[in-house]
Amino acid sequence: MRSDKHIDKQQRVKRLKRLSLILGIIFFLTFGIIAGYFANEVREFLDDVNKDTPEELKDTSEQDASLKDLQPISFLLLGLDAEGEGGATRTDSIMIATVNPKKESTKIISIPRDTLITLPNSNEQEKFNAIYPINGIAGLIDFVEDYLTIPISFYATLNFEGLVDLVDAVGGITVDSPLSFTVQDSDETADAIVIEEGIQEVNGEEALGFARMRKQDPRGDFGRQDRQRKVIEAVIDELLSFNSVTNLTPILNAVRPNLQTNMSGQQILTVASNYTDAAKSIESVELSGAAEYVYFPSYGHDLYVWNPYEESLDEARRTLREHLELDPSSEELPEENGDDEIDN
């Protein structure tokens, strides 16, 4: 009798082991299929977002050493928008982010698009957002490096049309609006988007309206810059959440046709693996300045422009250089991004 019980117990143990083995095989096969599917999706996505990188910006091998050693890196982030029907694509939003993984912090500075500058290799005055359509992304990177006296590790451009799809793909975002306003939607329907003062959930269209409105904000472009940063931070929070991992396909499909970067697929994965903690602490670097109207011969009339105070610009340069662990008192770029490469 006792022997029969012992045999039954052994058989039950064997059945449990067999069942556990079968379940384990099923789990790993399922996980492997999912991982393989997403790996293929991610590979295709990474191939797409850097395929149109200009030839002179494709070699990012020097940045690999920085990523390997977890050194601070910098990004030029551009929000692109076509001006009017068939108009030239201009940089509606110009941000520079410095990311320091050891300090687990990120600093972002926004350069107002109406900032008065002198075009590279020219004495002609223009606004900052005109550099991209005139000199291209490579020329803009050179100019920003010289303007802020920091090297730019990578760039990324996002068409504003892509913001709508991206926010919708992550299931919407939460923003805290400092004021109430109405604004047109992407189809230019007047007052189609209503933003209330305070904390609220917004979808893609609402997020775009929240980020782009300027004329109703008493702070003008600076108020808009703050709202754009809020949208970026909210999107980052959602992208880092578990829900985004399980919703990867629509996110990749939303970003794919609207994002362009010079980062290689491996570099994107490295940053995603080793630098994400720095996104938990995002600090704004402010620029102070004054607005005026300046006559532009090329346009034949006065235009609104903005000029940063020199002391504020110098302080911003020191702050960014220190965050990148460069000599804050120097205005020289590191040798690998040397001044001989800057022709403005």
Side-chain angles (χ1 to χ4, degrees), residues 35-313:
Y37 173 75
F38 281 126
N40 186 57
E41 288 245 325
V42 170
R43 265 196 308 273
E44 290 181 0
F45 168 79
L46 297 178
D47 288 340
D48 284 345
V49 297
N50 64 12
K51 66 180 180 181
D52 293 327
T53 299
E55 195 63 38
E56 63 269 31
L57 297 177
K58 284 185 177 179
D59 184 6
T60 57
S61 56
E62 290 180 353
Q63 286 87 319
D64 286 333
S66 296
L67 295 179
K68 182 179 179 182
D69 296 335
L70 291 182
Q71 295 298 312
I73 55 176
S74 60
F75 294 88
L76 174 63
L77 308 172
L78 305 174
L80 303 183
D81 197 13
E83 297 206 336
E85 188 73 23
T89 299
R90 293 205 172 200
T91 47
D92 195 65
S93 174
I94 307 162
M95 296 184 185
I96 295 87
T98 57
V99 184
N100 191 315
K102 295 174 184 175
K103 294 182 178 180
E104 294 187 354
S105 66
T106 297
K107 295 186 185 294
I108 294 180
I109 184 171
S110 293
I111 300 178
R113 65 177 191 171
D114 294 318
T115 302
L116 184 65
I117 54 95
T118 301
L119 288 173
N121 303 316
S122 167
N123 291 322
E124 184 179 353
Q125 287 188 314
E126 254 295 357
K127 296 185 180 185
F128 218 106
N129 68 339
I131 302 174
Y132 178 79
I134 295 174
N135 295 89
I137 185 62
L140 179 56
I141 289 174
D142 283 348
F143 192 90
V144 170
E145 286 185 326
D146 193 43
Y147 191 77
L148 293 177
T149 68
I150 62 170
I152 297 297
S153 308
F154 303 104
Y155 79 86
T157 66
L158 180 67
N159 291 323
F160 271 117
E161 291 83 355
L163 182 62
V164 175
D165 295 335
L166 177 57
V167 172
D168 285 339
V170 299
I173 59 174
T174 301
V175 296
D176 187 359
S177 179
L179 72 165
S180 300
F181 60 89
T182 61
V183 65
Q184 69 182 26
D185 60 14
S186 56
D187 293 326
E188 299 187 1
T189 303
D191 301 325
I193 297 170
V194 179
I195 300 295
E196 303 290 345
E197 182 178 354
I199 298 174
Q200 62 210 280
E201 296 284 331
V202 295
N203 60 26
E205 278 284 350
E206 292 164 340
L208 180 61
F210 178 77
R212 294 178 72 181
M213 189 279 290
R214 177 174 60 162
K215 293 182 179 178
Q216 300 173 58
D217 195 318
R219 297 182 62 211
D221 207 36
F222 292 99
R224 183 170 67 164
Q225 288 172 20
D226 286 342
R227 283 181 276 110
Q228 288 173 344
R229 280 196 291 266
K230 287 180 180 180
V231 169
I232 289 174
E233 291 175 20
V235 170
I236 289 174
D237 286 342
E238 292 297 332
L239 288 174
L240 294 178
S241 71
F242 176 76
N243 289 337
S244 290
V245 175
T246 59
N247 203 30
L248 186 62
T249 299
I251 291 173
L252 295 181
N253 289 339
V255 174
R256 192 193 314 265
N258 299 294
L259 176 69
Q260 174 61 42
T261 180
N262 63 330
M263 296 184 76
S264 68
Q266 185 57 53
Q267 288 168 340
I268 293 175
L269 294 175
T270 299
V271 171
S273 300
N274 301 323
Y275 283 74
T276 51
D277 284 344
K280 295 177 181 177
S281 174
I282 300 178
E283 178 186 342
S284 296
V285 178
E286 301 293 342
L287 272 180
S288 300
E292 62 176 324
Y293 281 86
V294 172
Y295 179 77
F296 285 75
S298 57
Y299 296 100
H301 56 83
D302 291 346
L303 291 178
Y304 171 91
V305 299
W306 185 85
N307 285 305
Y309 297 131
E310 196 60 37
E311 58 271 23
S312 178
L313 182 57

Side-chain angles (χ1 to χ4, degrees), residues 11-57:
Q11 289 175 340
R12 284 198 301 271
V13 170
K14 287 181 179 179
R15 282 197 295 270
L16 286 173
K17 286 182 177 180
R18 190 179 301 116
L19 179 61
S20 298
L21 178 61
I22 292 171
L23 290 174
I25 292 173
I26 291 173
F27 171 79
F28 282 111
L29 281 175
T30 303
F31 179 80
I33 292 170
I34 294 173
Y37 173 75
F38 281 126
N40 186 57
E41 288 245 325
V42 170
R43 265 196 308 273
E44 290 181 0
F45 168 79
L46 297 178
D47 288 340
D48 284 345
V49 297
N50 64 12
K51 66 180 180 181
D52 293 327
T53 299
E55 195 63 38
E56 63 269 31
L57 297 177

